[in-house]
Structure formats: structure tokens, C-alpha cells
Amino acid sequence: MASFAASPANVADIGVTGMAVMGSNLARNLARNGFKVAIHNRSVAKTEKVVDSYGSEGEFYPSESTADFVASLQKPRVAIIMVKAGGPTDAVIDELSELMEEGDIIVDAGNALFTDTRRREAALREKGLHFVGAGVSGGEEGALNGPSIMPGGTVESYDRLGPMFEKISAHVDGVPCCTHVGADGAGHFVKMVHNGIEYADMQVISEAYDLMTKALGKPAGEIGDVFAEWNKGDLESFLIEITAEVLHHTDATSGKPFVDVILDRAAQKGTGAWTVQTALDLGVPVTGIAEATFARSTSGSVPQREAARGVLPAETQDLKVLDEASFIDDLQKALYAAKLVSYSQGFDEIAAGAKQYGWDIDLGAMARIWRGGCIIRAKFLNRITEAYERNAALPLLLADEYFTAEITKCIPAWRRVVAFAAANGIPVPVFSSTLSYYDAVRADRLPAALVQAQRDFFGAHTYQRVDVEGTFHVEWSEDRRESKQD
């Protein structure tokens, strides 16, 4: 039996089911901000632990059963689901929807695939219920102290949720890091892309670290000093800040730098892969994100790495760094440029998704709510907001006057870093792929013309000409006569 009495009916402002760390921290955040919070977990022990450990932080209304949990909510009811994505989420949704009434709101605040959210929203809409897919970024600390929140769903649901979510979110310059993103799956879509940008950001930071390790022979602590200094300028961001802290940390067991005792295999939870797969479906090049995702896959490809190690030759030029300060300055500029490209590609994907699915997403507002609470919070997000305020229909973030000027200052250093890494056999997939993208997107003409000719040759896929309108095909296997297609 539970160690708490049944909660009264119709008392809580909002409820959270799923009392693992993220769910319990979100519930505590709500309670700390003065909201009456119903809490529930399939395992009653976890609910008891929240009450016993944190009951003094605010008004919690625990329930042992889902029925009592729903009954304790004020109408229109709001129930937040914080359980494992996929089947478990569907099971909880099904259970809640049978107990709720027209106008009630179910919120999935986990990392769900946006297409699942769209499916769930459509199904619950037929029952008269609102379903909100809300991206929540900031990890365990953010959930407790103020995350960035990206809710989708109906405008009516946000009227009910908005005041609560905005109050518990992070605030920057007095502005909440929360806004209504758009209909059905828009919130989870934006959170997915946020995580994709996060992949690219983390990978290119790691590439800069790797170059300082291998080219300069610097120990982790000294590299941490470099990142700490970088965090005072244009690169100021949460990820640069924690990178410095990680590199300064010493392993208690071995006494070695902490980063040196960690196995070099990085995991992923799927959002990076979803971002890349979705970008492919939308026809949006997110090369920095893709290479960052594949870099994690490469790190985990143990049989392939073992087969290659000591067998595949390097044939490097073995270039030396002649001026350490200049090399570090180049790295700083290259890192800034690669990060700008990755963010630009992410915003391109959000714009394409909004167009594809009919979402009215304010790109400037997305940058604004990412300034605090979330993992990719960075100084230059203010500049992204300003860019979209200047031109809401900006087709390419890098084409904004501010970012064009910023990246121009970085190009020579960026090229030197990529060339040095290639000559010395040091893998820099995000540094190099973002530079290639930059050169491709600015090019007057690309070799895609030859690709189209090849496609027409073997598959009659047709092509367009530069000098006349229409679609054409060459009879390659016959007299090579060109014909205009209907």
C-alpha cells in the first residue's frame, strides 16, 4: 500500500505521470513555482520517494492509480507524460484518454518522433482531447531549474499551458524560453532539429580538442584553458563552458585527466538520426549534423576500427605547427564558422518542415527560446533572432548581413585548419563537411549538371537546360536525338 492518502478530486493545476529523474524534476519545478501538482508513477515507490524527499518544495498531490491521478486534476485537465518513448508512451496515452473528457489536455514531454506525435494528435482530436508534443531541453538540471520548452498542439491548449510552461522555463533578459511552436508535431520537430544541431556542435568541439591534442601535444587541462578563454568571446555557449570543465576534471581513481580514461565510443538516442533522415526526406542538406551523427556511428564501429588499425596506411605529410598561438586562433575561427553553418542548416530544416506540414513557425522565436535552459544555448542566438526579425523569409541564415560578415572573417583560418587536418590524417568530418557545404552553396555552378546527364543516360530521368524552358531527354541508345518531354 502507498504511504500517502488518496488525493482529493479536482484540486491540482497540472499533473505529471512518470517519476523518473526528468519527470520528478519537472514536477518539482512546477511545485516550486506555486502550482499544485498531481504526481503518479506505475511503481508507487517512486511517487512515495518524491513526496518523502521533496514534499516541502510545494503542493504535491500523489495518486496510486491512474484513475485517482486524473480525478485529482482541475478541469480542463492537463496531464504530462514523462515515460519511455514508443510503446510505453502509447500505453499511457490510451489509459489517460479513456479517463479524460472533451477539452482535456495530454502532454508528451519526452523525445518523441514528430510523426508519432502527429499520429497521436490526430487520434486524440477525434476524441475531443488536445494532444501536445512538447520538446523540453536542458537535461535533468534544466527540468528542475528552468528548461527551454517547445510546445506544439492547438492554440487553445497553449492558452491553458502557456502561463505555466512560461513561468517554469528558463528566462533570458526577462523573456521566457518557451513559446507556442505550431500545430500537432511542430514542437517535437523543432526539438528534434535542436538535438541534431547539438550533435554537430558537440562533434566539432571535439574535433577542435582532437587537433590541439594531436597537433600541439597539449594535455587536457591546458586545452581546457583554451576553451575557457574561448567562452569569453563569440563562442560563448553552454557546450564550450562544460567542455572546459570536463577537460579540467581529473579522474579520482587513476589521477589522469578524466577525458583520457573514457572509452572513445559515443552513443546516440536517435534524435540525431531522425534529424538526418527527415532532412533527406525534405531534401535539405544538413551535412554538419549528418557527419556528426556518422562520427558517433564510426566511433562505435569496433570491428571495422580494429580491422583498419595498423593496416591502413596514413601517407601523411606530417606538417608541424610553427606558431601555436596562430594555430589556436585559426581553430577558434574555424570552430565558429562550422558552428554557424550547422545552425544555419538546422534552421533550413525547420523552415522546410514548416512548409511541408503547414506549421507557422517563427524562426526568430525558436532562436530566442534556445538562449537559455537548452543544451545549445549560445551567445550568437541573439543574432539569429535579429536576422529573422530583419527578414522573416530569409532563405539562408548565412546570407544575413551580420552572419555573412562574421563568416567572412573566418574563411582563411577555416581552410587552413581543414587542409592541415587532411595533410596530417586527423579526421575532422564536421569541420570539412561544413566548409564543403559553404563552398557548394555559394558556387555559381555545381557538377550536378553531369549527375543529371548520367541519370538521363541510364534511367531516362530527364533534365532541364540553361538556355530554354522545359524538360528534356536524349535517346542515348539510339540516335542521341534530344526531345522535349510533356
Side-chain angles (χ1 to χ4, degrees), residues 375-424:
I375 304 301
I376 64 170
R377 57 186 183 267
K379 178 180 178 180
F380 61 74
L381 282 164
N382 279 317
R383 296 296 192 174
I384 296 178
T385 296
E386 292 167 4
Y388 286 112
E389 286 175 347
R390 282 190 287 272
N391 180 5
L394 184 66
L396 177 73
L397 180 61
L398 298 177
D400 172 76
E401 57 188 25
Y402 174 81
F403 288 107
T404 297
E406 288 294 285
I407 207 163
T408 297
K409 293 184 288 188
C410 301
I411 295 169
W414 197 7
R415 295 195 188 284
R416 285 192 293 268
V417 166
V418 172
F420 178 91
N424 284 279

Side-chain angles (χ1 to χ4, degrees), residues 203 205-220 222-223 227 247 259-260 264 298-299 305 309 314 316-322 324 327-328 331 417 420-429 431:
Q203 174 63 28
I205 288 170
S206 299
E207 290 171 17
Y209 151 78
D210 198 37
L211 281 165
M212 281 187 272
T213 299
K214 293 173 180 173
L216 301 179
K218 278 187 172 294
E222 289 185 19
I223 299 174
F227 277 101
L247 292 172
V259 71
D260 291 345
D264 62 338
T298 301
S299 75
R305 292 179 65 191
R309 193 177 292 117
T316 58
Q317 294 181 25
D318 195 27
L319 300 180
K320 304 299 183 184
V321 174
L322 302 178
E324 181 177 299
F327 184 78
I328 290 174
L331 269 181
V417 166
F420 178 91
N424 284 279
I426 302 172
V428 286
F431 273 131

